[in-house]
Amino acid sequence: MCGIVSYIGERKALPILLEGLSRLEYRGYDSAGIFICSSQENQLLKVAGKVKALQNAFDMQPDIQAEIGIGHSRWATHGQPNKINAHPHVSNNGQLVMVHNGIIENYEVLKSVLMSKGYTFKSDTDTEVLVNLIEDFQKEKEIPLEDAVPAALRQVVGAYGIVLFDQKEPDTLISARLGSPLVIGVGENEFFVTSDAAPFIEYTKEAVYLKEYELAIIQKNHPLKIRNIQNELSVDPYIEKLQWSLENIQKGGYDHFMLKEIYEQPNALRNTLRGRIDTKNSAVQINGVSAFEDKFISAKRIIIVGCGTSWHAGLVGEYLIELLARLPVEVEYASEFRYRNPIIDQNDIVIPISQSGETADTLAAIKIAREKGAFIFGISNVVGASIPGETDSGIYSHAGPEVGVASTKSFTTQVGVLMLLAIKIAQLKNRISPSESFALISELEEIPNLLQDFLENSASIKPIAEAYHEVSNCLY
Ligand code: GLU
């Protein structure tokens, strides 16, 4: 998840981008960047950290007149949250500038093909691969950008919401989406392309929500053009009149962030599973396990450590791993584990779980496990946090940022990761047959849809909640 804000029109772009990014910060906040284009000069500025740091960086130059620009606040999925990996990313010929929200699953294959053609990469992101793939189509096929973008996107497996700027065509933005949201605010001689409507609500209430596989060509003083990426047919833009207030929009129309995050569970789990299951071949692909298969095959025991919600997810993990992989699992509170001189050796795998990747007790537990020679496999949601840096290997849950204090989608995705891990270990240890694997993976793949159906038909829960919300405990 991340925040995208872009503008093309007759106002000064920079304040709109900076304010817009800070309104979208709940979507991602580990690094940020802006590209702006004016007749005098183009400028790209990126920072590690929050949008405030980007604001400070621009404070030095208050009078930037540019009327076109693209901005991004990142929630890293590929590569550390640092300045180099921050968006926008620029293609090898220096012409294309792009921001992206999502995950390009097949980026490694695409990257090696591009490298064999001489492309070089500065960042570790999947995004930089995509912007160069577009450049490659543009150059090789000698086609205009608006044709190169869909051609490149047809090669992509994964999710994207992108906004692209070609320095050779400074009056145009190109945007496309699949799986990540994008909305176009349509004003008088101006357009905004953003992750949700919060950045433009005070300028216009007219909005076109891009649908899956749609590509928009957005030009100053021209009507908006939309095409389908798969069949290239044009689509008539459907303009909606927004009724929402700013606060409403930031919470996606929900009364509370927690409620919003409950409803984000189906997509969060889809992101957890994306690229990691191959139902046809009954396969689970976890890169962090592939390099260490021997460790998982020979381990005598798994010890899961975590605090609060992560500890509870660990309890579910214990059931799953013991049931499927027949490997003994213990689940410990990190805060107790660190103080009680636990018996661990090099035959153990310690799995620290932490949403933030920064939980102090869990970090301390990792240190002890390392001293005692265990192999450490981390589960975290935040790319580049301390825990992923302290472990031997691991996996990200890709839940996106969680604002609500009570954990919802983080827990769901942690359990999703543990299910993947349980199946993978069971397969490595030959504890389940291919047909059992197939059944488990097919059912796992269905869970996001089941969650979605359940949440869409959740009206029947309300009276139950009303009846019982004040009870202090329940037994079931
Ligand atoms: N996959 C991209 C990255 O890691 C985009 C992440 C996002 O949606 O913020 O940079």
Side-chain angles (χ1 to χ4, degrees):
M1 210 148 107
C2 78
I4 288 179
V5 184
S6 42
Y7 177 79
I8 181 164
E10 291 166 356
R11 299 175 207 265
K12 278 196 202 175
L14 187 60
I16 295 172
L17 298 182
L18 285 169
E19 174 59 26
L21 285 179
S22 64
R23 287 184 196 169
L24 293 182
E25 229 177 0
Y26 73 89
R27 297 180 55 85
Y29 39 72
D30 63 38
S31 49
I34 277 181
F35 171 83
I36 37 173
C37 162
S38 71
S39 46
Q40 286 84 44
E41 60 164 338
N42 296 349
Q43 211 184 123
L44 174 68
L45 202 60
K46 310 204 262 187
V47 295
K50 297 202 168 197
V51 174
K52 187 84 193 84
L54 192 64
Q55 251 151 3
N56 293 343
F58 274 111
D59 274 352
M60 313 292 176
Q61 14 177 355
D63 214 28
I64 294 179
Q65 300 297 327
E67 292 167 350
I68 179 163
I70 57 183
H72 188 271
S73 118
R74 181 169 180 242
W75 176 267
T77 64
H78 293 67
Q80 297 289 313
N82 57 26
K83 189 169 164 176
I84 293 174
N85 289 333
H87 301 209
H89 287 283
V90 181
S91 68
N92 271 209
N93 66 7
Q95 295 298 325
L96 305 181
V97 186
M98 193 177 87
V99 290
H100 165 224
N101 168 206
I103 297 173
I104 310 297
E105 277 164 33
N106 58 340
Y107 83 105
E108 278 169 334
V109 182
L110 298 173
K111 189 171 184 174
S112 54
V113 173
L114 289 170
M115 284 170 87
S116 70
K117 293 181 178 180
Y119 282 82
T120 55
F121 294 88
K122 296 193 181 83
S123 78
D124 302 316
T125 62
D126 47 345
T127 306
E128 197 186 4
V129 175
L130 180 56
V131 71
N132 280 300
L133 185 70
I134 295 170
E135 180 196 299
D136 192 52
F137 267 92
Q138 201 184 18
K139 273 202 323 225
E140 205 151 89
K141 304 251 183 310
E142 292 180 11
I143 49 178
L145 188 63
E146 59 180 78
D147 295 326
V149 176
L153 291 176
R154 285 194 290 268
Q155 306 288 312
V156 161
V157 179
Y160 53 79
I162 56 166
V163 180
L164 183 77
F165 178 76
D166 183 349
Q167 307 205 49
K168 281 199 275 196
E169 292 180 41
D171 282 336
T172 307
L173 291 176
I174 292 195
S175 155
R177 76 159 280 222
L178 175 65
S180 304
L182 276 180
V183 53
I184 303 172
V186 184
E188 199 132 316
N189 297 332
E190 64 182 350
F191 294 100
F192 306 75
V193 190
T194 57
S195 299
D196 71 29
F200 63 74
I201 198 74
E202 73 259 49
Y203 302 108
T204 176
K205 297 255 191 255
E206 307 221 320
V208 175
Y209 282 87
L210 273 192
K211 301 208 177 56
E212 300 286 68
Y213 289 111
E214 280 186 354
L215 173 132
I217 300 154
I218 303 143
Q219 283 170 307
K220 225 169 165 170
N221 302 322
H222 282 77
L224 181 64
K225 281 192 266 172
I226 298 186
R227 275 161 51 187
N228 183 288
I229 293 167
Q230 288 169 307
N231 59 22
E232 303 270 354
L233 295 175
S234 350
V235 179
D236 283 338
Y238 172 70
I239 299 187
E240 281 185 45
K241 218 130 181 97
L242 301 177
Q243 312 286 351
W244 291 349
S245 69
L246 177 60
E247 206 212 0
N248 227 310
I249 284 175
Q250 282 175 303
K251 292 187 186 141
Y254 295 99
D255 288 343
H256 310 282
F257 277 115
M258 184 176 155
L259 200 54
K260 174 170 172 278
E261 287 158 6
I262 286 172
Y263 278 84
E264 279 173 355
Q265 287 176 101
N267 264 340
L269 193 57
R270 278 185 194 110
N271 286 336
T272 305
L273 302 180
R274 199 186 294 284
R276 291 174 173 158
I277 49 177
D278 172 0
T279 312
K280 229 178 33 223
N281 296 310
S282 306
V284 172
Q285 170 66 33
I286 302 176
N287 291 339
V289 173
S290 307
F292 300 98
E293 288 187 352
D294 290 351
K295 297 265 181 209
F296 285 88
I297 293 168
S298 62
K300 297 272 176 291
R301 184 174 63 148
I302 285 181
I303 301 162
I304 297 176
V305 289
C307 297
T309 299
S310 302
W311 179 82
H312 282 92
L315 293 180
V316 183
E318 175 182 19
Y319 273 47
L320 295 172
I321 296 169
E322 290 198 343
L323 178 74
L324 298 175
R326 309 307 299 155
L327 183 62
V329 179
E330 285 169 28
V331 186
E332 298 241 15
Y333 261 113
S335 49
E336 290 175 24
F337 181 89
R338 65 180 289 196
Y339 290 116
R340 68 166 188 78
N341 194 12
I343 302 168
I344 314 169
D345 62 32
Q346 60 279 15
N347 297 314
D348 292 323
I349 295 180
V350 171
I351 303 186
I353 308 180
S354 162
Q355 187 283 129
S356 65
E358 301 292 347
T359 314
D361 285 327
T362 311
L363 271 163
I366 292 173
K367 197 161 164 259
I368 292 170
R370 173 161 319 288
E371 280 162 13
K372 293 180 182 281
F375 175 72
I376 304 163
F377 182 88
I379 299 178
S380 154
N381 186 28
V382 181
V383 177
S386 304
I387 288 179
E390 294 294 321
T391 48
D392 295 310
S393 182
I395 179 170
Y396 290 110
S397 57
H398 293 322
E402 195 172 63
V403 180
V405 174
S407 181
T408 54
K409 58 178 182 164
S410 284
F411 176 77
T412 315
T413 52
Q414 285 170 346
V415 172
V417 162
L418 287 161
M419 183 69 197
L420 287 173
L421 200 58
I423 301 174
K424 184 75 199 175
I425 304 171
Q427 289 178 334
L428 289 173
K429 292 172 71 70
N430 284 325
R431 297 285 190 195
I432 48 173
S433 66
S435 64
E436 283 169 318
S437 279
F438 179 78
L440 286 166
I441 295 167
S442 316
E443 289 187 12
L444 184 58
E445 193 179 27
E446 259 310 291
I447 291 180
N449 297 337
L450 294 174
L451 273 172
Q452 189 157 343
D453 286 350
F454 179 78
L455 289 168
E456 279 167 7
N457 299 298
S458 57
S460 59
I461 299 169
K462 220 172 170 178
I464 301 174
E466 269 158 15
Y468 295 116
H469 76 279
E470 278 176 358
V471 305
S472 59
N473 58 61
C474 79
L475 189 64
Y476 66 95

